[in-house]
Amino acid sequence: KAGVTQTPRYLIKTRGQQVTLSCSPISGHRSVSWYQQTPGQGLQFLFEYFSETQRNKGNFPGRFSGRQFSNSRSEMNVSTLELGDSALYLCASREGAAGLGYTFGSGTRLTVV
Amino acid sequence: TQLLEQSPQFLSIQEGENLTVYCNSSSVFSSLQWYRQEPGEGPVLLVTVVTGGEVKKLKRLTFQFGDARKDSSLHITAAQTGDTGLYLCAGARGGYTGNQFYFGTGTSLTVIP
């Protein structure tokens, strides 16, 4: 069974640009969540999608958005990048609403210069 | 303010020593997970505990969920260099949209050969 796949693994962008990150969950997992991880803040929840609908949202500005497709694949977009957006972005999937833990992807390391 | 506080934040020990990591909160959780994360990778789920007072063993790792389901501990016996990594606890609270997960602040463990 393939794991959670995130692309790209590394990304360097310039301040002010926008970026799209992709996540393919484990087959059969309909819930996809996104997290931002930085050394200072740890793992911060961005949002969760379930069956193409955003179900939960963390405390991030509107520059951070996401979507989920009918095949459960998900994308997140960050517009008008800031230096502080440099982080490891992690995607995680789980089975349905009563899951007892996540399976994480390897993450996308975003560096904003 | 983090819902889950982990201690210690950093731990450096010799191979063969024992250690305990704590995960504390004033909130009640329906379940609690422990993850281990290696540099440049996503967290990997180690265990889920559900019942207050539950103890689970995974080889040299022992996990305990507090009686009141507000705290947990991870004990490692005879640490090995392969145990090096960032240990994260995550508590689940059931909202109407399904379980929401809150991650702890993390404990960075280094096992020295």
Side-chain angles (χ1 to χ4, degrees):
Chain A
K1 198 175 193 182
V4 178
T5 303
Q6 289 189 247
T7 56
R9 285 296 309 270
Y10 303 94
L11 208 48
I12 300 176
K13 288 286 188 178
T14 303
R15 191 171 45 182
Q17 287 187 313
Q18 67 101 26
V19 67
T20 299
L21 312 181
S22 180
C23 171
S24 293
I26 288 178
S27 178
H29 286 195
R30 290 188 293 165
S31 169
V32 174
S33 296
W34 289 89
Y35 286 84
Q36 180 195 66
Q37 187 176 32
T38 58
Q41 298 296 319
L43 268 158
Q44 300 289 315
F45 173 71
L46 280 156
F47 26 66
E48 179 194 8
Y49 285 88
F50 182 83
S51 293
E52 302 180 65
T53 301
Q54 187 180 88
R55 189 159 65 174
N56 290 304
K57 189 178 190 304
N59 191 27
F60 276 81
R63 300 185 296 106
F64 292 81
S65 62
R67 59 178 175 168
Q68 186 180 33
F69 302 95
S70 57
N71 61 358
S72 292
R73 191 178 70 85
S74 178
E75 289 181 348
M76 69 161 280
N77 184 277
V78 188
S79 63
T80 319
L81 284 165
E82 301 176 359
L83 296 179
D85 296 333
S86 294
L88 181 66
Y89 288 89
L90 292 162
C91 168
S93 73
R94 59 188 174 101
E95 291 184 70
L100 296 179
Y102 287 120
T103 300
F104 280 89
S106 296
T108 294
R109 170 71 64 185
L110 172 65
T111 302
V112 182
V113 298
Chain B
T1 305
Q2 291 276 33
L3 205 56
L4 281 163
E5 294 289 339
Q6 286 183 238
S7 62
Q9 189 177 357
F10 298 96
L11 193 52
S12 181
I13 62 170
Q14 293 291 136
E15 196 169 26
E17 291 184 343
N18 302 332
L19 67 115
T20 301
V21 176
Y22 299 93
C23 174
N24 294 302
S25 177
S26 56
S27 299
V28 176
F29 296 99
S30 56
S31 67
L32 194 133
Q33 296 83 41
W34 284 93
Y35 295 82
R36 179 169 67 215
Q37 184 179 22
E38 297 187 15
E41 297 296 328
V44 175
L45 180 65
L46 296 174
V47 77
T48 298
V49 285
V50 179
T51 306
E54 183 177 1
V55 177
K56 278 193 174 179
K57 298 196 78 168
L58 186 68
K59 297 183 181 177
R60 295 175 293 99
L61 278 59
T62 302
F63 305 86
Q64 184 162 9
F65 200 13
D67 291 341
R69 305 206 316 276
K70 293 182 178 181
D71 53 76
S72 180
S73 64
L74 157 60
H75 182 80
I76 300 179
T77 303
Q80 299 177 356
T81 54
D83 296 327
T84 293
L86 178 68
Y87 288 81
L88 295 159
C89 63
R93 299 176 74 186
Y96 75 94
T97 56
N99 285 352
Q100 298 187 42
F101 293 91
Y102 300 86
F103 278 84
T105 48
T107 294
S108 179
L109 170 66
T110 302
V111 181
I112 304 164

